[in-house]
């Protein structure tokens, strides 16, 4: 519930910011004219955009997966109302049939929250079950500005079905 309230707070703050920007542009257009105001707005937008940092997906090679059939597995490890954190497990039928690759996937609405993996995590396959221990940072953002950072240790087991 707290996640939903935080997302709504972000959307309200974004709406107020857009309304204030519209009013400011309207006043500038009256003083400077449309052309100068348009150039000024483009200049401001060009200066505010930064380079996004390159995000490398955390992938881990896991061995001892003999009981696992080749294929793609998508177990969900954190399912909130507005977003979902899941694993992507790929076991190939190639020459090394004992290894699988595990990657993390975040989907859903992420206006006020951002999940960031700290490390690849620890995974263990036993009897068709996957035991996982994954360190994550959960960043609480307000209009893209980090307000609070929380360390989450996602632990548990899940069954694998493809």
């Amino acid at each position: 519930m707290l996640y939903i309230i935080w997302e709504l707070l972000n959307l309200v703050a974004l709406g107020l910011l857009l309304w204030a920007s519209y009013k400011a542009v309207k006043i500038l257009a009256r003083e400077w004219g449309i052309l100068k105001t348009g150039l000024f707005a483009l200049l401001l937008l060009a200066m505010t955009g930064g380079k996004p940092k390159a995000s490398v997906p955390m992938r881990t090679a896991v061995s001892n997966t003999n009981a696992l059939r080749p294929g793609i597995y998508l177990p969900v490890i954190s399912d909130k109302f507005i977003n979902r954190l899941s694993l992507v497990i790929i076991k190939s039928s190639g020459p090394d049939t004992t290894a699988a690759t595990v990657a993390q996937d975040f989907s859903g609405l992420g206006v006020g929250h951002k999940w960031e993996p700290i490390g690849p995590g620890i995974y263990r396959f036993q009897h068709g079950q996957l035991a996982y221990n994954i360190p994550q940072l959960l960043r609480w953002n307000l209009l893209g500005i980090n307000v609070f950072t929380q360390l989450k240790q996602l632990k548990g087991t899940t069954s694998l079905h493809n």
Side-chain angles (χ1 to χ4, degrees):
M1 187 63 168
L2 183 61
Y3 293 101
I4 296 170
I5 293 170
W6 190 257
E7 294 290 337
L8 289 174
L9 176 68
N10 266 281
L11 292 174
V12 168
L14 180 64
L16 289 173
L17 182 68
L18 290 174
W19 178 77
S21 299
Y22 170 74
K23 290 290 188 179
V25 167
K26 198 171 169 183
I27 291 170
L28 278 177
R30 195 174 15 182
E31 292 292 322
W32 290 355
I34 295 284
L35 184 62
K36 285 182 186 176
T37 303
L39 289 174
F40 180 70
L42 283 175
L43 180 67
L44 281 180
L45 288 174
M47 289 179 14
T48 58
K51 277 188 175 180
K53 69 177 185 178
S55 65
V56 177
M58 292 285 183
R59 294 177 186 254
T60 306
V62 181
S63 58
N64 196 18
T65 62
N66 292 333
L68 201 60
R69 291 184 310 207
I72 298 174
Y73 301 85
L74 302 167
V76 175
I77 58 175
S78 177
D79 194 9
K80 306 288 184 213
F81 178 70
I82 53 175
N83 54 35
R84 172 180 293 187
L85 187 62
S86 58
L87 298 175
V88 179
I89 302 167
I90 302 171
K91 181 167 182 193
S92 65
S93 58
D96 186 11
T97 59
T98 62
T101 303
V102 179
Q104 302 169 27
D105 179 50
F106 175 79
S107 62
L109 185 62
V111 176
H113 302 94
K114 184 174 182 186
W115 287 92
E116 289 182 18
I118 298 173
I122 301 169
Y123 308 98
R124 189 175 67 242
F125 290 99
Q126 288 180 338
H127 311 295
Q129 297 276 322
L130 171 70
Y132 57 87
N133 187 347
I134 307 167
Q136 294 273 323
L137 282 180
L138 176 58
R139 297 190 185 276
W140 296 73
N141 299 327
L142 184 62
L143 293 176
I145 300 169
N146 189 15
V147 176
F148 182 70
T149 302
Q150 191 176 13
L151 178 63
K152 292 275 192 177
Q153 195 73 22
L154 302 172
K155 297 180 186 180
T157 58
T158 184
S159 60
L160 299 176
H161 307 286
N162 63 347

